[in-house]
Amino acid sequence: MHLPNKLRFVPSQIVAVTVLLTLLLFIPQIWLNWEAYYNFNSITKHEFKLQTLSDEIIYLDEVLTMSARMNAATGNFIWEERYRQFEPKLDIAIKESIKLAPKVYENEDTTKVDAANQRLVAMEYESFELVKKNQKETAQLLLFNHEYENKKQIYADGIAKRKRNISLQLQQKIDDYYKRIFWAILESIISLIMLIPAWLFVLRLLQQYLKAKKIAQAALEETNCRLEMQVAERTAKLKYKNFQLQQTLEELQHAQVQLIQTEKMSSLGQLVAGVAHEINNPVNFIYGNVIHIREYSQQLLSLINLYQQQNFNYNPEIINLIDEIDLEFIVDDMPKVLSSMAIGTDRIREIVLTLRNFSRLDEAEMKAVDIHEGINSTLLILQYRLKEKHKKQEIAIIKDYGSLPLVECYAGGLNQVFMNIFSNAIDALDEWEAECLEGEHKKHSSSIIVHTQVKNEECVIISIKDNGPGMTEKVKTRLFDPFFTTKPIGQGTGLGLSISYQIIVEKHKGKIKCISAPGKGTEFLIEIPIKQAR
């Protein structure tokens, strides 16, 4: 079909008319779709925030209940402080939820739920006062009675019902949104069908245009490819640099924390050395004089015996004095007293020597030392934690020492490793004993076995084994990771075994391994060379 000359259009005019018609048909649709999407997005964010607040309210309510009951059970005021810390957060969450969905909170159950909540708070505050008056049993009865559980159930049912209402409202709004989207899509399809013939003609014109630009496009694609390769190469370099920077930052943080820990151990060594020095002087003075006192007492007793062999017994005053002071008992007991004093001063000198051995923590040079002295000095420092006190029984230390030569090592660093391992073993045994006392388990006899031996005349092996609760395979895989700890917050830094690994493996070119299973205790095997490679 040919149009008259007056009705013919140039290609640019056809394209312009087609684009104009497309805009007239599609702009309203796009606007409606965008408006529907915006409203749906607002609804989603609004309702999602409501659901998040509902979950937060349930969580905070459980935290308050747990804190109040733990305060009643343990009598520890930290739980009351935790309660008062989370209570304002719960009030803020409830207020925000009411502000976002006032209709949900305006029903016949609101008064009942609020009354239950107020009664729960009153009972929890009452339990705090009872605990402060040392009436833990009464506080526990208050928080575990039928009324408290009933109010708790009413409050929980009310919160759950509100959450369901929020979900129902959201589902209803989503259904409305789907209906609007359906009609918008249907209108878009009809508009598209109307525009297909015009756009087919436009596409024919575009083919001619693209054919003319084909050579230029090929050159442009080649240039883009080359630029993309350069960008990819530079991006890879930047990623590698970022990885190096991140790794360096982690190493610096680890080194900083390790430096602080090492400084603490060095300060402990200096303190122990100072105490040992101050005790050593008076003990040496006593020890040196005990020998002379024993000699003088023997001479005096010999003189008294000589006098007794003479005829001074006829003096009544001397006879009365002998009977009064029980001279025979004194003659028999004085050597025993002096012997006990000598044994006591020997023991003090031995303890001082052990403390001085442990105080080598700040020595930076590698030298040949007796491994057993380091173990003994560490156990002496931890002696107060091994003894029996209160309900805690004494932890038995079983020493199975082999015949070890002097080992070239950093004595201070090795003592630090022993300190970390023994401390962890004592913590595990204390925890295990506490669990046995609380449960129905039979009484557990805690012990730590220390075994040393020579391996292949090149290395020494130190085994430290406890009969505590042991650990899972998951914990073992992360045992030497920095900052990993299974202890509560504030009771462990997660650096002890990480630093120990570095001291043994990196500084001494040795090995450290953990053998453990739940209920079968834990054993640390340390292997270090007798002579370090120069």
Side-chain angles (χ1 to χ4, degrees):
M1 182 178 68
H2 298 281
L3 294 175
N5 292 332
K6 293 183 178 180
L7 296 178
R8 289 182 180 177
F9 299 96
V10 297
S12 60
Q13 292 175 337
I14 295 174
V15 172
V17 172
T18 305
V19 170
L20 181 61
L21 183 60
T22 303
L23 292 176
L24 290 175
L25 290 174
F26 274 94
I27 284 179
Q29 295 299 321
I30 293 172
W31 170 257
L32 291 174
N33 291 336
W34 180 85
E35 185 180 14
Y37 169 75
Y38 177 78
N39 292 335
F40 177 75
N41 195 30
S42 300
I43 292 170
T44 304
K45 289 181 179 178
H46 182 81
E47 300 301 332
F48 178 74
K49 188 173 182 181
L50 276 174
Q51 290 183 348
T52 303
L53 286 172
S54 298
D55 294 338
E56 184 178 357
I57 289 170
I58 295 172
Y59 166 72
L60 292 173
D61 179 65
E62 292 300 326
V63 170
L64 295 182
T65 301
M66 182 198 69
S67 300
R69 286 180 168 176
M70 288 299 295
N71 179 70
T74 63
N76 193 334
F77 297 113
I78 293 177
W79 292 106
E80 182 178 353
E81 294 177 0
R82 180 180 176 87
Y83 182 96
R84 300 188 185 280
Q85 177 185 358
F86 281 92
E87 186 179 18
K89 296 181 180 180
L90 177 60
D91 294 338
I92 292 172
I94 293 174
K95 290 178 181 178
E96 289 184 2
S97 182
I98 293 173
K99 184 177 179 182
L100 291 174
K103 293 183 179 180
V104 176
Y105 288 84
E106 294 175 359
N107 53 50
E108 64 277 5
D109 295 331
T110 301
T111 304
K112 186 177 180 181
V113 173
D114 291 342
N117 184 34
Q118 292 175 2
R119 179 55 184 160
L120 287 173
V121 172
M123 294 175 76
E124 288 164 355
Y125 271 86
E126 185 179 351
S127 72
F128 292 149
E129 295 300 325
L130 290 172
V131 171
K132 290 178 180 178
K133 296 176 182 179
N134 293 326
Q135 299 180 13
K136 292 195 298 183
E137 292 78 5
T138 307
Q140 293 175 14
L141 291 174
L142 180 64
L143 295 182
F144 288 92
N145 62 16
H146 178 72
E147 181 185 1
Y148 185 87
E149 295 293 340
N150 186 30
K151 298 297 181 183
K152 184 71 179 175
Q153 186 63 39
I154 292 173
Y155 183 74
D157 292 343
I159 296 298
K161 186 175 181 181
R162 290 172 182 173
K163 189 173 181 180
R164 288 195 299 272
N165 291 337
I166 291 171
S167 300
L168 291 174
Q169 289 183 4
L170 175 61
Q171 187 61 42
Q172 183 178 358
K173 292 179 180 179
I174 290 174
D175 292 340
D176 295 339
Y177 168 77
Y178 284 155
K179 291 178 181 178
R180 293 186 62 185
I181 289 296
F182 171 77
W183 288 111
I185 292 173
L186 182 61
E187 292 175 2
S188 299
I189 292 172
I190 294 173
S191 301
L192 182 62
I193 293 172
M194 294 173 61
L195 291 171
I196 286 176
W199 277 108
L200 287 174
F201 185 74
V202 170
L203 288 175
R204 184 178 178 184
L205 295 175
L206 289 176
Q207 284 178 353
Q208 295 176 359
Y209 173 78
L210 293 175
K211 187 176 180 179
K213 296 291 183 179
K214 187 175 182 180
I215 298 175
Q217 184 69 27
L220 182 60
E221 288 179 356
E222 184 179 357
T223 304
N224 287 337
C225 182
R226 187 166 57 252
L227 290 174
E228 287 177 358
M229 291 177 62
Q230 293 177 356
V231 170
E233 183 180 355
R234 292 186 179 181
T235 303
K237 290 181 179 179
L238 286 175
K239 287 183 179 179
Y240 179 71
K241 291 292 184 182
N242 288 335
F243 173 76
Q244 286 184 323
L245 289 174
Q246 183 67 26
Q247 190 175 14
T248 303
L249 179 60
E250 292 178 357
E251 291 176 356
L252 286 174
Q253 290 176 343
H254 188 198
Q256 181 184 14
V257 177
Q258 182 179 353
L259 182 61
I260 294 172
Q261 188 75 5
T262 304
E263 187 65 25
K264 289 181 180 179
M265 294 300 294
S266 177
S267 300
L268 174 62
Q270 293 174 6
L271 175 62
V272 170
V275 172
H277 177 73
E278 293 298 327
I279 295 175
N280 192 46
N281 289 336
V283 166
N284 285 336
F285 176 76
I286 296 172
Y287 182 79
N289 287 329
V290 165
I291 299 174
H292 299 298
I293 290 294
R294 177 181 291 178
E295 182 181 350
Y296 297 157
S297 64
Q298 290 296 330
Q299 293 175 355
L300 290 175
L301 291 175
S302 299
L303 179 61
I304 292 172
N305 186 33
L306 183 62
Y307 269 112
Q308 284 181 331
Q309 292 176 4
Q310 304 299 321
N311 293 328
F312 75 95
N313 292 332
Y314 296 104
N315 191 327
E317 293 182 2
I318 295 177
I319 294 174
N320 291 334
L321 182 59
I322 289 173
D323 294 336
E324 183 179 348
I325 66 175
D326 196 356
L327 180 60
E328 184 178 354
F329 174 76
I330 292 174
V331 171
D332 181 64
D333 191 55
M334 184 176 290
K336 298 178 182 178
V337 172
L338 292 174
S339 178
S340 298
M341 291 173 64
I343 293 172
T345 53
D346 281 336
R347 176 58 180 155
I348 295 174
R349 292 182 69 195
E350 179 184 349
I351 293 173
V352 169
L353 179 60
T354 307
L355 291 174
R356 293 178 68 181
N357 288 334
F358 183 82
S359 67
R360 292 185 297 185
L361 282 170
D362 56 348
E363 292 184 5
E365 296 182 358
M366 181 174 289
K367 57 181 64 177
V369 299
D370 186 351
I371 296 294
H372 295 156
E373 285 186 358
I375 297 174
N376 292 334
S377 60
T378 305
L379 289 173
L380 179 65
I381 297 297
L382 296 172
Q383 187 66 33
Y384 75 100
R385 297 191 60 192
L386 300 171
K387 292 183 178 179
E388 180 179 2
K389 53 184 177 181
H390 303 299
K391 294 183 179 181
K392 174 183 176 297
Q393 64 175 339
E394 182 177 358
I395 298 175
I397 301 296
I398 303 172
K399 299 178 182 178
D400 182 16
Y401 290 165
S403 179
L404 300 185
L406 296 180
V407 178
E408 285 187 355
C409 63
Y410 296 101
L414 211 54
N415 286 349
Q416 186 176 353
V417 173
F418 296 150
M419 176 70 76
N420 290 332
I421 295 176
F422 281 123
S423 296
N424 287 341
I426 294 171
D427 291 338
L429 290 171
D430 289 345
E431 179 184 352
W432 184 246
E433 184 176 353
E435 291 178 1
C436 291
L437 290 175
E438 291 178 0
E440 298 180 354
H441 305 283
K442 61 181 181 180
K443 192 174 181 181
H444 179 260
S445 298
S446 301
S447 64
I448 299 175
I449 302 174
V450 185
H451 174 70
T452 60
Q453 67 180 40
V454 177
K455 176 184 177 182
N456 298 331
E457 298 182 355
E458 295 180 355
C459 299
V460 295
I461 296 178
I462 303 106
S463 167
I464 301 175
K465 182 178 181 181
D466 64 67
N467 61 343
M471 63 185 74
T472 62
E473 193 66 29
K474 182 178 180 181
V475 173
K476 280 173 55 180
T477 56
R478 299 192 58 194
L479 198 59
F480 299 108
D481 291 350
F483 307 107
F484 172 75
T485 179
T486 59
K487 297 178 181 178
I489 297 175
Q491 295 186 17
T493 62
L495 290 171
L497 291 178
S498 174
I499 293 174
S500 300
Y501 183 87
Q502 186 177 20
I503 291 172
I504 297 299
V505 177
E506 296 182 11
K507 288 189 174 182
H508 292 87
K509 309 302 178 186
K511 300 177 183 177
I512 181 170
K513 181 173 66 173
C514 176
I515 302 173
S516 181
K520 296 185 179 180
T522 301
E523 179 180 12
F524 281 91
L525 289 175
I526 301 171
E527 181 178 335
I528 57 175
I530 298 174
K531 300 288 184 181
Q532 292 290 329
R534 302 300 180 186

